[in-house]
Amino acid sequence: MDIFSKIAAGEIPSYKCAENEEFYAFLDINPLVKGHTLVIPRREVDYIFDMDDDEIARFQQFAKRVAIAIKAAFPCIKVAEVVLGLEVPHAHIHLIPMQSESDVDFKREKLKLSPEEFQQIADKIYAEFQK
Ligand code: 5GP
């Protein structure tokens, strides 16, 4: 199992933001900004564009719901959706609440947050997702 499959299965801890039977959302451990979230399919698939049309549509619909929850929890201009996938070979969408373009510069220094801060951020997004 790859690392993100283990996270979705609960075998590796993560800060859960949202889930359903098919998809899982959790905080990026090296966040660009507060609320930087990763959305993944539970199914092991590396390249997002290997998903068939129905699966990628459901994936996007789930990511949209998570983005709405992030925006409610962390007011921002827009939530950016970014797909890179060069580091972890399991399809994932980055959702990043944005106040400016520099918030999505992956070369910039990442935030250092305490476990308590991570938990509070995840709880806020999770609460909005449940509404
Ligand atoms: P990418 O594959 O999109 O280039 O980058 C993978 C992203 O996953 C990075 O932003 C990195 O911080 C995040 N990441 C890598 N390993 C873990 C992990 O074990 N837990 C969490 N929460 N995030 C991770």
Side-chain angles (χ1 to χ4, degrees):
M1 254 205 259
D2 67 61
I3 187 162
F4 282 1
S5 293
K6 287 182 182 169
I7 284 175
E11 291 177 20
I12 292 177
S14 65
Y15 296 98
K16 179 170 77 178
C17 299
E19 68 178 335
N20 69 11
E21 58 293 331
E22 200 175 11
F23 306 109
Y24 186 76
F26 58 106
L27 294 181
D28 193 304
I29 208 66
N30 300 303
L32 286 165
V33 294
K34 286 187 179 181
H36 181 173
T37 300
L38 301 175
V39 186
I40 62 172
R42 294 185 188 277
R43 183 173 89 79
E44 273 195 355
V45 51
D46 175 1
Y47 186 40
I48 189 169
F49 297 125
D50 283 337
M51 290 176 151
D52 69 28
D53 290 356
D54 288 342
E55 186 180 21
I56 203 169
R58 291 192 302 276
F59 191 32
Q60 284 293 338
Q61 284 161 17
F62 181 79
K64 176 182 172 181
R65 286 187 57 206
V66 178
I68 290 168
I70 291 170
K71 196 166 190 296
F74 294 94
C76 55
I77 297 172
K78 287 184 175 176
V79 173
E81 179 180 282
V82 179
V83 176
L84 299 170
L86 291 175
E87 186 188 318
V88 177
H90 184 123
H92 53 280
I93 292 171
H94 294 257
L95 294 177
I96 303 160
M98 238 188 338
Q99 303 294 354
S100 75
E101 202 176 309
S102 65
D103 288 338
V104 288
D105 176 2
F106 278 79
K107 292 200 177 100
R108 79 182 222 178
E109 203 177 332
K110 307 302 188 296
L111 290 186
K112 299 270 181 289
L113 301 174
S114 67
E116 293 75 23
E117 286 175 304
F118 271 114
Q119 194 60 61
Q120 279 173 9
I121 293 166
D123 289 349
K124 253 178 121 171
I125 296 169
Y126 191 82
E128 290 295 337
F129 186 80
Q130 299 303 318
K131 286 184 182 169

